[in-house]
Amino acid sequence: MKNRASLFLLFILIPFITVKIRAQSTQTYAEKLGWPKGAKVIIFHVDDAGMSYSSNQGAIKSIENGIATSCSIMMPCPWAAAFTKYAVKNPKMDAGLHLTLTSEWQEYRWPPLGGIAHSPGLVDDEGCMWHEVEQVVKNANADIVEQEIRAQVERALKIGLKPTHLDSHMGTLFAHGPFLERYIKVGMEYGIPVMFPGGNNKLLIECLNAPVIKKLKAEGKWKEGTKLPEPAITKESKAVGEKIWNAGLPVLDDLYTNSGEWKPEGNNVTPEQWGKYKAMKFKETLGKMQPGVAMMIVHSSDITDAFKHISASGGSRYADMLSMLDPDLKAYIRSEGIILTTWKEMLERRKNAK
């Protein structure tokens, strides 16, 4: 009788257990981190701090006067020490490391912190890091990449900064499986969150498919409504996200990377118009995103005359900064109940999560 009663109880409970397991599996990382079900939580993130004086000023203004909540520093670059010291003096600033394995500009370049002689495969004929991600994947091995990641973390620590998170300049660490493994390994070892989108990835898939659509349009092969296959990296992202979560680090539900492509049509676009256009596009993107915690990347710079000697991207970067300062975008976020967060808060919430 006792066994029959146990079996009957189990039979009754199975549907409820199944429902609970299914509910857990469909929870967003935002919910796991303690935010309400259905909430949209955003990190507006400024990349490339430390790259130049203009980049530093853009990051500072975007965070202190605008809606940006976080940034990351390129430690091999000439203005990295200045920004890192600023972040140390302003501990409320959410400052991570933009792990840098490329040196993309033509004249303005940098070598690895591990040293030219000790970084075979990571440097080109000029003794600087490669221009392109593909060149790093082709020439560098995972051991040298890990060595450089550690050198960049250690430089920040020596200056007095405990990075709030790690991410990847130009996505190099996401372009090759062995590199990604070392990135996650170092983050786990130091107890530093690693930027990784392991959730629904609706916006990230849109970003990854954008160049495919552009190519098909140029070839006259694109039809509106065509369904593209899911990118390989997002197919594997859920499993990787679970690994990171189980190691005690927070995980993103989504990531948006393409704001650098936004520019209004016309030849005489003013900086203010460009900034307003980007603010409008951010509203559209926020409207499309699914509930969860997402990171949206900008490259804010407060442009000086010197920046034109670095890159032709100055106009877009200045517009990024203006979008972060835009009062209409700030009002939209407030009216829609969108929650702004930082990597620092993400880690604290992860420590308290089950």
Side-chain angles (χ1 to χ4, degrees):
M1 286 293 294
K2 187 175 180 182
N3 286 341
R4 284 184 181 180
S6 298
L7 287 170
F8 179 74
L9 183 62
L10 182 61
F11 179 76
I12 293 295
L13 288 176
I14 280 174
F16 296 97
I17 294 170
T18 305
V19 168
K20 185 175 180 183
I21 291 171
R22 191 180 296 120
Q24 288 176 342
S25 66
T26 57
Q27 259 193 329
T28 66
Y29 280 109
E31 290 174 66
K32 291 180 180 182
L33 291 167
W35 280 293
K37 182 178 178 62
K40 291 184 179 183
V41 186
I42 300 292
I43 298 173
F44 277 107
H45 188 273
V46 185
D47 281 4
D48 293 3
M51 191 188 80
S52 67
Y53 175 79
S54 300
S55 305
N56 288 2
Q57 293 301 302
I60 291 167
K61 291 181 179 181
S62 294
I63 293 172
E64 294 191 351
N65 303 324
I67 61 167
T69 56
S70 184
C71 64
S72 55
I73 310 166
M74 298 175 70
M75 293 309 296
C77 295
W79 279 88
F83 192 91
T84 306
K85 290 175 184 177
Y86 182 89
V88 171
K89 290 178 183 176
N90 296 272
K92 289 184 178 180
M93 177 166 279
D94 198 68
L97 300 188
H98 200 42
L99 297 170
T100 305
L101 298 168
T102 51
S103 178
E104 66 271 32
W105 311 122
Q106 291 303 311
E107 307 296 336
Y108 184 74
R109 309 198 67 208
W110 44 83
L113 290 185
I116 296 169
H118 303 289
S119 304
L122 199 59
V123 295
D124 62 13
D125 292 341
E126 296 178 9
C128 294
M129 295 184 188
W130 296 101
H131 287 278
E132 302 291 341
V133 172
E134 293 78 12
Q135 293 172 310
V136 184
V137 173
K138 180 180 178 181
N139 292 285
N141 65 47
D143 289 338
I144 294 299
V145 165
E146 182 179 339
Q147 171 188 286
E148 182 60 24
I149 292 173
R150 291 179 181 277
Q152 292 179 25
V153 173
E154 287 297 326
R155 186 186 185 200
L157 294 173
K158 285 179 181 178
I159 297 174
L161 178 71
K162 175 65 183 289
T164 57
H165 64 288
L166 306 176
D167 58 58
S168 176
H169 181 54
M170 295 177 68
T172 310
L173 292 166
F174 293 88
H176 189 43
F179 293 177
L180 181 64
E181 289 174 10
R182 301 304 177 94
Y183 165 68
I184 295 169
K185 171 189 172 185
V186 172
M188 289 179 179
E189 183 178 319
Y190 282 90
I192 301 173
V194 292
M195 188 280 289
F196 190 86
N200 63 76
N201 283 330
K202 178 182 178 181
L203 299 178
L204 179 58
I205 290 170
E206 178 184 310
C207 292
L208 293 172
N209 280 340
V212 179
I213 294 171
K214 185 177 180 180
K215 182 174 182 291
L216 290 173
K217 283 182 176 179
E219 296 170 350
K221 299 177 181 178
W222 174 252
K223 291 182 180 178
E224 291 300 328
T226 300
K227 190 171 182 180
L228 296 175
E230 183 178 352
I233 189 170
T234 57
K235 286 182 179 178
E236 302 170 7
S237 63
K238 284 183 171 57
V240 177
E242 287 175 8
K243 176 182 177 182
I244 295 169
W245 178 265
N246 292 334
L249 299 177
V251 181
L252 296 169
D253 287 293
D254 209 345
L255 175 68
Y256 194 84
T257 63
N258 278 13
S259 65
E261 304 294 321
W262 293 340
K263 185 178 181 181
E265 294 181 4
N267 297 322
N268 298 309
V269 177
T270 67
E272 291 73 24
Q273 289 170 331
W274 202 343
K276 275 288 181 186
Y277 181 79
K278 289 203 177 198
M280 179 195 71
K281 293 292 288 183
F282 273 122
K283 291 180 200 175
E284 289 180 6
T285 306
L286 290 168
K288 287 187 292 185
M289 79 170 277
Q290 294 179 354
V293 57
M295 187 165 107
M296 296 195 176
I297 295 174
V298 297
H299 297 83
S300 298
S301 288
D302 191 7
I303 299 303
T304 62
D305 287 341
F307 196 88
K308 65 186 178 184
H309 300 293
I310 297 174
S311 161
S313 64
S316 178
R317 290 168 183 261
Y318 186 57
D320 273 352
M321 187 186 78
L322 293 180
S323 74
M324 293 296 96
L325 302 176
D326 187 80
D328 292 335
L329 178 55
K330 185 175 182 179
Y332 174 84
I333 288 168
R334 191 187 308 116
S335 68
E336 292 295 313
I338 294 167
I339 300 166
L340 298 179
T341 190
T342 63
W343 279 104
K344 198 176 291 185
E345 182 181 7
M346 291 266 285
L347 181 58
E348 286 305 309
R349 283 177 172 268
R350 177 64 189 97
K351 289 176 181 177
N352 296 324
K354 293 180 181 179

